[in-house]
């Protein structure tokens, strides 16, 4: 059972996503700077993964905002397709980003570079804490909106990437295994590629007016 009117739930969901978007954007910048100073590709890859989530959160916020706007005589369907086009562009960009990270990770596996594990650990731990805060904010609202539920799972995936970076930093600190940074980076690149492909496929299906993936056409006959 949901409390409040649909408009009130929309405003509540939009506020939760906005807060998570601000936190995730801040962590993205924090990890980007930390990745550069620690020479950690894993942190840079994690920042890239957060970029996918900033895009997803932004699109969710955008979608909820447009859904609350009334149709006009000239725009009877509103501006929903703008959101889909933005998702498609983001998806293509993120695929290129994933390929770049994978290429850099491969190079570092062949020739491991020295990584400042202590700084990497501090930055990754800060990222994990911020992701858990965002997840907590979204958890109570996920039953009210499909967009919020999607944003919640994106933030959880960020937290998993941060855990990976923490593990890599510990391996570097205690075992001196600098290649761990490249290994984790490759895994994060695969996660970005996977989420980007889902984003692109969903956007193309909608633009081509394909049948929703959860509907079995054979059962409708």
């Amino acid at each position: 059972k949901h409390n409040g009117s649909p408009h009130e739930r929309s405003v509540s969901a939009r506020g939760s996503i906005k807060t998570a978007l601000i936190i995730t954007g801040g962590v993205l910048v924090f990890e980007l700077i930390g990745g550069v100073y620690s020479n950690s590709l894993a942190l840079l890859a994690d920042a890239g993964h957060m970029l996918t989530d900033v895009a997803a959160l932004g699109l969710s916020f955008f979608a909820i905002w447009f859904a609350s706007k009334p149709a006009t005589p000239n725009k009877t369907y509103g501006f929903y397709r703008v959101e889909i086009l933005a998702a498609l562009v983001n998806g293509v960009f993120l695929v290129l980003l994933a390929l770049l990270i994978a290429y850099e990770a491969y190079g570092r596996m062949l020739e491991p570079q020295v990584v400042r594990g202590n700084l990497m650990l501090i930055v990754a731990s800060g990222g994990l804490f911020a992701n858990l805060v965002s997840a907590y904010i979204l958890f109570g609202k996920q039953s009210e909106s499909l967009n919020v539920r999607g944003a919640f799972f994106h933030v959880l995936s960020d937290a998993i990437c941060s855990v990976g970076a923490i593990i890599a930093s510990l391996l570097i600190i205690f075992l001196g295994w600098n290649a761990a940074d490249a290994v984790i980076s490759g895994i994060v690149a695969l996660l970005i590629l996977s989420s980007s492909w889902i984003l692109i496929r969903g956007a193309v299906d909608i633009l081509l007016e394909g049948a929703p993936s959860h509907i079995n056409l054979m059962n409708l006959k």
Side-chain angles (χ1 to χ4, degrees):
K1 182 178 179 180
H2 300 304
N3 296 321
S5 66
H7 175 71
E8 289 172 337
R9 292 198 298 271
S10 175
V11 171
S12 176
R14 194 164 67 235
S16 297
I17 289 180
K18 182 179 180 180
T19 302
L21 180 60
I22 292 172
I23 293 174
T24 304
V27 175
L28 189 160
V29 175
F30 178 62
E31 290 203 338
L32 186 63
I33 295 173
V36 171
Y37 278 96
S38 65
N39 194 34
S40 170
L41 183 60
L43 285 180
L44 294 176
D46 195 13
H49 187 262
M50 284 193 173
L51 182 60
T52 71
D53 292 343
V54 166
L57 288 167
L59 287 171
S60 296
F61 182 82
F62 190 69
I64 293 175
W65 178 67
F66 264 115
S68 65
K69 293 175 69 67
T72 66
N74 294 329
K75 298 288 188 298
T76 55
Y77 291 100
F79 298 90
Y80 178 67
R81 291 299 170 97
V82 174
E83 176 199 351
I84 305 305
L85 288 172
L88 180 60
V89 172
N90 279 327
V92 172
F93 171 76
L94 294 169
V95 166
L96 296 176
L97 177 64
L99 293 176
L100 177 61
I101 293 172
Y103 175 78
E104 290 293 331
Y106 177 72
R108 288 201 177 198
M109 286 179 188
L110 296 178
E111 296 182 12
Q113 298 185 21
V114 176
V115 179
R116 296 174 182 171
N118 292 325
L119 178 57
M120 181 181 176
L121 177 60
I122 294 172
V123 175
S125 298
L128 176 61
F129 176 76
N131 286 323
L132 292 178
V133 171
S134 294
Y136 176 78
I137 292 171
L138 294 171
F139 180 75
K141 305 292 183 181
Q142 62 168 326
S143 61
E144 299 178 5
S145 167
L146 187 60
N147 278 309
V148 175
R149 190 175 305 163
F152 172 72
F153 285 113
H154 274 290
V155 169
L156 278 185
S157 68
D158 272 335
I160 293 172
C161 288
S162 293
V163 170
I166 289 173
I167 292 173
S169 68
L170 293 174
L171 290 172
I172 292 169
I173 293 171
F174 293 105
L175 300 180
W177 189 39
N178 286 294
D181 181 65
V183 172
I184 295 298
S185 302
I187 294 173
V188 174
L190 290 177
L191 288 175
I192 297 175
L193 196 60
S194 175
S195 59
S196 301
W197 171 247
I198 293 172
L199 186 65
I200 292 173
R201 185 178 63 184
V204 170
D205 282 346
I206 292 173
L207 291 174
L208 295 179
E209 298 184 348
S213 58
H214 64 280
I215 294 178
N216 190 332
L217 295 178
M218 298 301 295
N219 292 336
L220 297 178
K221 294 182 178 179

